[in-house]
Amino acid sequence: MTDSTAAPMSVAEIARLGRAVLDEVGTAVVGMRDALEIALATVLAGGHVLFEDVPGLGKTLAARSLATALGLDFRRLQCTPDLLPSDITGSAVFDPAKREFEFRPGPVFTGLFLADEINRTAPKTQSALLEAMAERQVSVDGVTRKLPSPFHVIATSNPVEYEGTYPLPEAQLDRFMVRLAVGYPDADQEADVLTRRLIRRQEAAPVNQVIDPATVLAMQAGVEAVAVDGDVIRYCVDLAAATRASAHLEVGASPRGSQNLMLLARAVAVLAGRDYTLPEDVKRIGVPVLAHRLTLSPTAWASGVNPEALVKTLLDTVAGPATVGAP
């Protein structure tokens, strides 16, 4: 969802500013250029990001650095088992001076909200984000309040630790446009991380603001102004339909999945400087968009079937458009 009142920015300018944002974030975050580009494209497409990987890979740093470069207000909430929904949305507090209840906004009232280790909080609290992520609003005590624009959620999750964690329900996972795995850096990249830490002589890795929220909205409006070829639309639909027909799955990707494929592929194309989307754009983001929306059948789960590998197989087997180019 984007602000329809913002004037659309040209594709060339979006691509230029996108590179500038990624270059600035890259001064603090090493070895994550591809993941960061997809995360930025997700923001430009109006979506939310789930980083799922082992601790210590810079997921929180990446979220904070991206927010700073985009000029967005940033709030981080450390998710814990005792966290309450009101700790996210805010609540009414009695003001003795005024002798009335006054609403105090929670951390979700920001530009970029980081839910750190979201799987450590209970499903009841996780669900407090559903309305915020889908409608850009929260309802507390019967009153609905709009969130700032732009508003985006980045969440992190640890996939290898199970004690004290709660699996994200399908409805929550489906609200994330992408789920990204960062992966370990190679030896040269890891050495670069250590060298940079020695040079700056402090833990914090400073990042400069590149653009502001109004520019983010203009970039989002520019992405919305780009059309998508009908053959690419049908390719997105065919991929989602193929997950529903798979014998390995109890639940395949919903229409929200095919729509997110289309929207994110368009944003990726715009960041590449194109005003048209290629099948290769869809293939590039197929796994991050679709894999977390799939529910394996008990037999497939017991057999060790991997959702990511299943999506890769579908990307190789589902026929796409022969050629799609500039109109």
Side-chain angles (χ1 to χ4, degrees), residues 15-204:
R16 183 188 71 81
L17 290 176
R19 288 192 298 270
V21 168
L22 292 172
D23 289 344
E24 181 62 30
V25 174
T27 63
V29 183
V30 178
M32 292 175 57
R33 179 78 180 205
D34 187 64
L36 285 170
E37 184 173 340
I38 294 178
L40 175 59
T42 301
V43 170
L44 297 184
H48 310 286
V49 180
L50 174 63
F51 278 115
E52 185 174 271
D53 219 320
V54 297
L57 296 182
K59 302 184 294 296
T60 301
L61 175 62
R64 185 186 301 276
S65 300
L66 188 60
T68 301
L70 294 175
L72 300 178
D73 289 335
F74 176 80
R75 299 290 297 274
R76 172 183 176 272
L77 183 67
Q78 182 63 53
C79 295
T80 56
D82 59 348
L83 202 68
L84 298 174
S86 59
D87 294 325
I88 295 176
T89 61
S91 60
V93 178
F94 186 73
D95 185 340
K98 297 180 180 179
R99 301 186 65 82
E100 62 183 25
F101 284 92
E102 183 179 85
F103 179 73
R104 294 190 180 175
V108 76
F109 284 84
T110 187
L112 196 151
F113 175 69
L114 173 62
D116 215 355
E117 297 187 281
I118 190 173
N119 60 331
R120 285 196 174 277
T121 195
K124 178 181 179 180
T125 304
Q126 292 176 19
S127 67
L129 282 173
L130 288 176
E131 183 184 11
M133 294 172 71
E135 308 294 336
R136 264 67 174 184
Q137 65 184 30
V138 296
S139 299
V140 179
D141 295 332
V143 179
T144 298
R145 295 174 172 85
K146 289 290 185 181
L147 295 172
S149 182
F151 167 77
H152 297 277
V153 173
I154 293 182
T156 67
S157 176
N158 180 354
V160 297
E161 192 171 354
Y162 297 104
E163 186 174 354
T165 63
Y166 304 84
L168 271 65
E170 285 75 9
Q172 181 73 67
L173 285 170
D174 201 40
R175 293 301 193 280
F176 289 101
M177 182 171 279
V178 294
R179 181 178 65 184
L180 298 172
V182 178
Y184 288 107
D186 61 33
D188 290 338
Q189 291 170 338
E190 192 165 353
D192 191 15
V193 172
L194 272 59
T195 301
R196 293 187 188 198
R197 173 61 181 84
L198 289 174
I199 292 173
R200 65 177 181 263
R201 298 187 179 185
Q202 60 180 4
E203 186 62 32

Side-chain angles (χ1 to χ4, degrees), residues 1-6 8 41-47 134-136 148-152 177 216-225 263 266:
M1 182 185 296
T2 60
D3 188 339
S4 59
T5 63
T42 301
V43 170
L44 297 184
E135 308 294 336
R136 264 67 174 184
S149 182
F151 167 77
H152 297 277
M177 182 171 279
V216 174
L217 291 174
M219 294 171 74
Q220 291 177 336
V223 171
E224 283 289 346
L263 295 177
R266 180 176 61 177

